[in-house]
Amino acid sequence: MVDGCTLLTKTRVQYRAGEVQVFLGAFGGKGGRMVIPPPRSVRNVRKHLSADALHALLRAAFRKIPDHRHDGTTIPLADALMSAFAMFSLKDPSLLAFDERRHERNLYNLYGIGQVPCDTQMREILDPLAPEHLRPVYGDAFRELQRGKALESLVFLKGCYLLLLDGTGYFSSQAIHCDGCLQKKNKQTGEVTYQHQFLGAVIAHPDHREVIPLAPEPIVQQDGSTKNDCERNAAKRLLAKIRKEHPRLKLIVVEDGLASNAPHIRELKRQHMHFILSAKPGDHEFLFDQVIAAFEDDRVTTISWKVGDNQAELSFVNDVPLNEANPDLLVNFFHYVEYGPDGEPQKVFTFVTDLRITRSNARLLVRGGRARWKIENETFNTLKNQGYHYEHNYGHGKQHLSVVFAMLMMLAFLVDQTQQLCCPLFQAVWNKLGSKRALWDNLRSHFRHFTFQSMKHLYEVILHDLAKELPAPVFNSS
């Protein structure tokens, strides 16, 4: 009996030689065979950037991470990491939901997991793991994108990529905490809120929906420190790591107004990175006074153009000091205003950059500065609102579990974004279903009910509705 119904048939799906073979058999009876035609062909994907190839790459990278345990446990660290990655890849809403699929054959076929830990085992295995061990995994995936020339379409200006940085929180509680938690104390009530945040970094382009995340930098309580970690300190650590991991990568860093300060700009220059940073009048009174003086001296260039029914106006000047305390630190300043049909300003943006501004590149630089919203909309909002369960507490742990889970979720997002950018089969399935949530729902449903030999096989079955050809189980409602 299954939920009050008698299951009369069972189905097993195999994928061999380009066809789906369905075997039916009544319990204890003879089976028949029904062959479903091969799916219509979809333009070939670069094989080393397919989901199957990337899953194999991650497994190999996880095996290189030294196991911190010395108790002779039977579940390899690589299996625990790959299981957690599979949970985020499948967009399971909780560890308990993933635990219910522990014995599914697809976890081995599609993710190469030999032994799937239960929820308690997964937490215990991953909690002591230092998050830094996961950074090289991102690098391995990034190099595959470079090797496949998948990033060429994201080049923004003179061989440079836009690198967007921003911080975000993903955990907050007044009860659950660990040694790495940031602490925020309510001055009136004395109540302490524990938080986890990280500084995200993604490569993006104004003309593309896809973003390619690099390994994020956790904003956590640092060993031996009595003060909370902060986004500025995390940025300094992250920039140094990115330059070490990608010594020849040409980058234009795009950040919000918190970053347009002298120490941070000097750090960007030290790491040989260009920048486009927001600059607000309230934070840069001296800078804006210098720009006003430049207007009076007729050193400011202004260009304008139509944007639909609106009028855009861009003013820029090069070589102005950032602030009075750092007169030697010169930046190039540009100010963008978009006026509505009534002449009232609707959008206003102000930036500083080290890139020389000219009439020919000014409009492009504005687009680069305004692309910063992509780390909010195309990254954080996607993780929060398109099925990734970003702010759900999968497990906090006592040491690093919360951070490890956050980095593995971002790694799943990297694989998905790679598929969105490079895989015609993934793109076709997404286009057919109309939304990411529908895609994830279909993926989980098919994953649970049928056996597949690869992610490619799974996508093809969804795309061509091959599951509809499978005989439905017969239930007895009595």
Side-chain angles (χ1 to χ4, degrees):
M1 301 292 290
V2 180
D3 295 330
C5 301
T6 303
L7 181 62
L8 300 181
T9 61
K10 59 182 178 179
T11 303
R12 179 165 59 94
V13 178
Q14 292 184 338
Y15 187 76
R16 291 215 179 103
E19 65 180 23
V20 177
Q21 298 177 342
V22 181
F23 295 85
L24 302 176
F27 292 117
K30 294 181 179 181
R33 169 174 163 172
M34 173 181 172
V35 178
I36 298 175
R40 296 180 297 277
S41 62
V42 173
R43 182 164 54 92
N44 287 334
V45 66
R46 283 165 281 196
K47 289 185 178 180
H48 67 286
L49 291 175
S50 68
D52 294 307
L54 290 173
H55 290 175
L57 180 144
L58 297 185
R59 286 197 303 273
F62 289 153
R63 291 191 190 105
K64 296 176 184 177
I65 297 176
D67 198 329
H68 50 273
R69 300 165 297 164
H70 304 285
D71 56 1
T73 183
T74 59
I75 299 179
L77 175 61
D79 276 355
L81 285 166
M82 203 67 198
S83 296
F85 170 82
M87 176 175 67
F88 296 122
S89 174
L90 293 166
K91 317 300 180 290
D92 277 326
S94 66
L95 258 174
L96 181 61
F98 180 77
D99 191 60
E100 293 174 355
R101 66 167 83 251
R102 281 177 59 212
H103 302 293
E104 293 179 10
R105 180 66 181 173
N106 285 323
L107 287 174
Y108 176 79
N109 289 356
L110 277 61
Y111 293 96
I113 304 169
Q115 300 180 67
V116 182
C118 70
D119 55 346
T120 300
Q121 289 173 318
M122 188 186 295
R123 292 188 181 100
E124 290 176 349
I125 294 171
L126 298 184
D127 189 24
L129 179 67
E132 283 298 301
H133 287 305
L134 296 175
R135 289 196 65 90
V137 186
Y138 284 81
D140 290 347
F142 190 83
R143 281 186 287 276
E144 289 300 297
L145 283 160
Q146 288 179 307
R147 183 166 75 88
K149 301 188 183 301
L151 299 177
E152 289 184 353
S153 63
L154 300 183
V155 172
F156 178 69
L157 176 67
K158 295 183 178 179
C160 295
Y161 298 97
L162 292 177
L163 179 67
L164 317 182
L165 301 186
D166 200 11
T168 185
Y170 59 90
F171 170 82
S172 180
S173 173
Q174 294 178 343
I176 301 172
H177 60 92
C178 66
D179 291 342
C181 279
L182 306 176
Q183 299 182 25
K184 184 177 181 181
K185 189 173 183 178
N186 188 304
K187 293 182 179 180
Q188 295 181 338
T189 65
E191 200 169 46
V192 176
T193 300
Y194 301 97
Q195 298 176 327
H196 272 292
Q197 304 171 10
F198 70 62
L199 182 65
V202 300
I203 287 178
H205 190 283
D207 296 333
H208 289 268
R209 296 177 65 176
E210 297 78 23
V211 297
I212 302 299
L214 305 183
E217 177 64 21
I219 304 175
V220 296
Q221 195 74 12
Q222 300 297 300
D223 290 341
S225 175
T226 58
K227 293 183 179 180
N228 278 336
D229 194 15
C230 65
E231 190 171 318
R232 183 178 294 186
N233 290 338
K236 186 175 181 179
R237 298 194 301 269
L238 180 59
L239 292 174
K241 291 174 183 177
I242 290 174
R243 183 46 74 211
K244 182 178 179 180
E245 294 161 353
H246 307 282
R248 291 182 293 275
L249 196 63
K250 298 171 69 174
L251 296 169
I252 302 172
V253 177
V254 183
E255 299 179 80
D256 63 18
L258 293 175
S260 55
N261 60 80
H264 186 67
I265 289 176
R266 293 190 190 281
E267 181 64 22
L268 287 166
K269 288 177 174 289
R270 195 173 74 84
Q271 299 297 346
H272 304 289
M273 297 179 182
H274 297 294
F275 59 85
I276 302 175
L277 310 174
S278 295
K280 299 179 180 179
D283 299 330
H284 293 280
E285 184 177 346
F286 180 83
L287 172 65
F288 279 78
D289 285 343
Q290 299 302 306
V291 173
I292 292 172
F295 264 108
E296 294 173 350
D297 294 341
D298 202 26
R299 291 188 290 117
V300 174
T301 301
T302 299
I303 58 177
S304 61
W305 64 95
K306 294 289 290 184
V307 180
D309 294 331
N310 292 351
Q311 183 73 22
E313 185 176 274
L314 172 61
S315 301
F316 65 88
V317 59
N318 293 302
D319 298 324
V320 289
L322 180 70
N323 55 44
E324 193 170 10
N326 296 271
D328 62 318
L329 186 57
L330 302 181
V331 295
N332 306 322
F333 173 98
F334 57 108
H335 179 72
Y336 174 85
V337 185
E338 196 169 305
Y339 298 95
D342 59 358
E344 292 296 317
Q346 293 185 346
K347 299 176 182 178
V348 180
F349 301 96
T350 306
F351 304 95
V352 294
T353 180
D354 66 321
L355 297 163
R356 196 75 180 175
I357 309 173
T358 66
R359 286 180 175 271
S360 61
N361 71 9
R363 291 173 62 172
L364 184 62
L365 293 178
V366 169
R367 297 188 68 216
R370 292 183 63 182
R372 195 187 69 81
W373 65 270
K374 284 181 171 288
I375 195 168
E376 285 287 344
N377 278 11
E378 306 296 341
T379 309
F380 301 149
N381 287 347
T382 296
L383 292 170
K384 293 174 183 177
N385 303 317
Q386 292 190 22
Y388 288 85
H389 310 287
Y390 175 72
E391 295 175 312
H392 175 73
N393 179 24
Y394 283 85
H396 192 78
K398 298 179 180 180
Q399 298 180 63
H400 308 298
L401 185 64
S402 183
V403 178
V404 168
F405 276 158
M407 294 190 72
L408 289 170
M409 180 184 290
M410 187 63 82
L411 196 60
F413 178 66
L414 169 59
V415 172
D416 292 340
Q417 289 292 293
T418 300
Q419 299 310 289
Q420 184 174 320
L421 180 66
C422 303
C423 180
L425 184 56
F426 179 94
Q427 296 161 5
V429 173
W430 180 24
N431 183 63
K432 172 189 174 178
L433 298 176
S435 73
K436 290 282 185 65
R437 282 189 173 274
L439 193 159
W440 310 141
D441 288 344
N442 272 265
L443 187 149
R444 284 193 301 273
S445 177
H446 283 72
F447 191 96
R448 185 174 296 279
H449 291 102
F450 307 107
T451 300
F452 301 93
Q453 299 305 311
S454 66
M455 288 298 298
K456 178 177 182 290
H457 176 200
L458 173 53
Y459 288 149
E460 286 177 339
V461 170
I462 296 175
L463 177 62
H464 301 297
D465 292 324
L466 297 184
K468 291 183 178 180
E469 303 296 331
L470 304 179
V474 178
F475 295 94
N476 186 344
S477 60
S478 60

